[in-house]
Amino acid sequence: MKFRGKIIDIACLNHFTRVITTISKLTKMCVLRLTPDNLFFVLSGKVANGGVSMWCELSQANFFDEYQMEGVSSEDNEICLEVTPENLSRALKTVQNAKAVKVKLTKKHCPCLTIAAELPTLSSISRVVTHDVPVDVIPRKLWHEFKEPSMPDFDVSIYLPPLKTMKNVVDRMKNLSNFLVIEANLSGEMNLKIETDLVSVTTHFKDLGNPPWGDDASQGGSASQSRDAEAMAEARVDIRRLQQFLMGQQVNPSKAMCNIVHQRVLHLILLHEDVSLQYFIPAVA
């Protein structure tokens, strides 16, 4: 197994750091899957993390000037590592003004992702800062747990309002309740609601628009097609999970949307030209 990559472009380095920082706000540990064309950050929905799962996909060519990897074997040309994204984020944040950053899989006292940055200097002597981020190599037999989650057969798909606005609303609601109901329909309307014995609060959004796949129900069912456009699909979720997602958002997506499987799953999707991030929050009764 070998992996080495090099980032020279400072804008790519900053963008890569923002993506890792976003992931570090969503989970303490995740799996980094390296393939010849892509990097994937994966959290599979185990009960231990509240059933939340995440899938973030990056095209290596959009970030790395050089990228070489050899997987476990020629048939299984992948490497799977368990990483702590916050450690990776912290290391990258300290090298933002570097002339070049190399990332390499190394074997020190344990397997590590070694980040070596060549820093600008006024003299002819080069300055290199090195960070070793410990990782665990995931054996081949466990790889099946970290495949891309299938698109749920949703009832409603809708574009999200500006994420900053949504975050402000959710932050205020969190002071009143631990759970939030998010509901939406195929007429571009979305409501965020909390209800307790003492208070009932609803924030309404309208004219958000619905992604085209909601019209043709491309994932196999025709539920969206035959659905009453005004009928609401809803999911009651742990408000901290949603707040975590909105707080950590540094990707500045060109599109942000959510799919709701009625009373089962809230599926959030952020798209930027070279990054896609999916986050699944299970509904609670």
Side-chain angles (χ1 to χ4, degrees):
M1 281 192 312
K2 290 179 185 171
F3 164 67
R4 58 182 299 144
K6 187 175 185 180
I7 303 175
I8 298 171
D9 188 304
I10 196 127
C12 291
L13 177 60
N14 291 342
H15 188 23
F16 187 61
T17 305
R18 281 197 300 274
V19 172
I20 307 288
T21 303
T22 296
I23 291 164
S24 73
K25 298 281 194 290
L26 295 175
T27 177
K28 288 190 173 69
M29 299 290 285
C30 70
V31 169
L32 169 58
R33 258 182 76 199
L34 300 164
T35 69
D37 299 317
N38 295 302
L39 296 86
F40 304 95
F41 291 90
V42 189
L43 177 68
S44 60
K46 304 254 173 45
V47 178
N49 55 38
V52 170
S53 52
M54 174 194 75
W55 177 268
C56 183
E57 183 171 335
L58 290 72
S59 169
Q60 61 86 358
N62 289 322
F63 293 91
F64 288 87
D65 295 274
E66 296 172 20
Y67 184 94
Q68 298 167 306
M69 60 92 47
E70 286 176 27
V72 175
S73 65
S74 52
E75 303 85 58
D76 298 313
N77 195 16
E78 289 186 21
I79 300 171
C80 279
L81 307 170
E82 188 171 53
V83 299
T84 304
E86 190 176 343
N87 291 347
L88 214 47
S89 164
R90 217 177 278 154
L92 288 166
K93 279 179 180 172
T94 63
V95 297
Q96 287 301 286
N97 61 344
K99 290 198 285 184
V101 172
K102 293 177 183 171
V103 185
K104 188 177 179 184
L105 182 60
T106 56
K107 183 88 168 98
K108 303 280 174 101
H109 52 92
C110 67
C112 290
L113 276 176
T114 295
I115 295 167
E118 191 184 334
L119 299 180
T121 176
L122 297 172
S123 69
S124 57
I125 304 162
S126 66
R127 286 193 305 151
V128 176
V129 171
T130 303
H131 293 269
D132 291 322
V133 178
V135 296
D136 283 324
V137 177
I138 292 182
R140 173 72 190 84
K141 64 175 184 280
L142 297 178
W143 284 7
H144 67 275
E145 293 182 23
F146 307 107
K147 296 298 178 194
E148 181 170 10
S150 56
M151 176 79 81
D153 195 2
F154 50 77
D155 295 290
V156 166
S157 182
I158 191 167
Y159 290 115
L160 292 173
L163 296 179
K164 200 168 182 183
T165 306
M166 199 169 162
K167 176 185 176 298
N168 291 340
V169 171
V170 171
D171 284 351
R172 286 201 291 273
M173 287 181 163
K174 183 173 177 282
N175 297 326
L176 301 170
S177 175
N178 294 328
F179 298 99
L180 171 145
V181 173
I182 183 165
E183 61 177 15
N185 64 18
L186 296 174
S187 295
E189 297 172 330
M190 174 189 279
N191 301 324
L192 302 178
K193 303 194 302 189
I194 55 164
E195 287 182 12
T196 69
D197 294 341
L198 298 173
V199 67
S200 173
V201 180
T202 305
T203 300
H204 303 273
F205 297 96
K206 57 184 186 178
D207 302 324
L208 296 174
N210 300 89
W213 64 34
D215 299 335
D216 59 14
S218 59
Q219 65 289 18
S222 57
S224 298
Q225 234 171 0
S226 57
R227 189 179 177 84
D228 174 3
E230 302 298 317
M232 290 286 184
E234 66 172 47
R236 181 173 182 261
V237 296
D238 183 333
I239 203 165
R240 290 167 306 169
R241 302 286 179 206
L242 184 58
Q243 189 189 35
Q244 207 174 19
F245 174 80
L246 295 166
M247 268 173 60
Q249 202 295 108
Q250 295 189 12
V251 178
N252 301 325
S254 49
K255 280 193 182 137
M257 59 193 96
C258 85
N259 300 330
I260 300 174
V261 183
H262 186 57
Q263 295 182 345
R264 286 185 52 209
V265 177
L266 177 65
H267 175 207
L268 297 151
I269 306 166
L270 302 182
L271 298 175
H272 193 76
E273 58 252 18
D274 45 17
V275 179
S276 73
L277 173 64
Q278 300 181 59
Y279 193 62
F280 297 80
I281 306 176
V284 291

